[in-house]
Amino acid sequence: MRKWLIPVIVIVAIIAIAFFWAMGIKNGALGKSQAVGKEWGNVETAYQRRNDLIGNLVETVKGAANFEKSTLVEVTEARSKANSVQVDPSNATPEQLEAFAKAQANLMGSVNKLIGNVTIEKYPELKANENFLKLQDELASTENTIQTQRTRYNEVVQDYNNYVLRFPNSMFLGEYKEKPYFKAVEGAEKPVQVKF
């Protein structure tokens, strides 16, 4: 074997190892980015379930009671606004997530007002309505699902951010940017005031 061939083989081997190593880093980032998108889809699915339930709740209240129209209009408008706020998980910004969270919080504030008014106004035919009670239970269950999905989303974002920001991965992953976490809306840390 010729002596000059050994260094060429070593150099080619080093280049091949470096190429496959860099390819592994890129493929890992792609997989983690896809996982973030999937979890965001799960968050949106949970919110969509809530929005569908709210529509059914409003129709049930309309059908069972001669209810204050302004509250129903408020819920319907808040639901429409919540549906109009869209977030692309691949290009999400903290501001987009904050706007999404605010729209959803506004919607739930309206729904809580609706349910509170039903309870306070003492509509016996509505409070005893099986559909209304079932919808309230479904909403509570959906809120738990939303919390779980937001937690899972944040866990996947943490895994993604750790991967793309860690050295030496960050040298090869310049096009992969840090993704924002889903945060509670401002004031969510304060206890809810219940008034009768």
Side-chain angles (χ1 to χ4, degrees):
M1 187 182 253
R2 298 188 182 172
K3 289 186 176 187
W4 63 268
L5 195 55
I6 293 174
V8 170
I9 292 172
V10 169
I11 290 171
V12 168
I14 290 172
I15 290 172
I17 290 169
F19 172 78
F20 287 112
W21 179 63
M23 189 173 69
I25 289 174
K26 291 270 191 180
N27 287 339
L30 179 63
K32 291 181 185 301
S33 179
Q34 291 296 312
V36 169
K38 175 187 165 279
E39 287 303 326
W40 181 252
N42 291 341
V43 169
E44 288 183 320
T45 298
Y47 277 113
Q48 183 61 51
R49 175 174 163 69
R50 183 210 294 164
N51 287 339
D52 293 345
L53 287 170
I54 290 169
N56 292 337
L57 183 70
V58 167
E59 291 305 315
T60 301
V61 170
K62 276 184 189 176
N66 184 10
F67 200 75
E68 180 185 336
K69 298 262 188 255
S70 64
T71 303
L72 293 173
V73 168
E74 183 181 327
V75 171
T76 304
E77 287 175 357
R79 181 174 173 237
S80 176
K81 285 179 186 173
N83 283 336
S84 70
V85 178
Q86 298 296 317
V87 176
D88 176 8
S90 62
N91 297 319
T93 64
E95 294 79 18
Q96 288 175 325
L97 287 183
E98 184 179 345
F100 184 85
K102 281 184 180 178
Q104 295 297 330
N106 187 24
L107 173 60
M108 278 317 291
S110 297
V111 169
N112 289 337
K113 181 179 175 185
L114 172 68
I115 291 173
N117 284 346
V118 165
T119 304
I120 291 168
E121 298 292 334
K122 298 182 176 35
Y123 287 103
E125 69 279 359
L126 185 56
K127 288 193 321 186
N129 182 310
E130 190 176 319
N131 289 337
F132 182 73
L133 297 173
K134 185 176 179 189
L135 286 168
Q136 281 186 297
D137 289 343
E138 288 287 329
L139 270 174
S141 171
T142 300
E143 288 304 311
N144 290 333
T145 302
I146 288 170
Q147 178 186 359
T148 300
Q149 294 304 337
R150 287 189 306 214
T151 300
R152 288 181 183 160
Y153 171 78
N154 282 344
E155 288 169 355
V156 173
V157 166
Q158 178 185 17
D159 185 43
Y160 168 87
N161 286 343
N162 285 339
Y163 188 82
V164 300
L165 298 175
R166 184 178 295 138
F167 184 81
N169 295 3
S170 60
M171 291 178 10
F172 297 100
L173 301 173
E175 71 272 15
Y176 288 87
K177 305 296 181 204
E178 182 177 9
K179 295 193 184 287
Y181 291 98
F182 196 99
K183 296 179 181 175
V185 293
E186 190 175 316
E189 71 282 354
K190 296 176 186 169
V192 176
Q193 297 292 323
V194 180
K195 295 179 184 178
F196 292 100

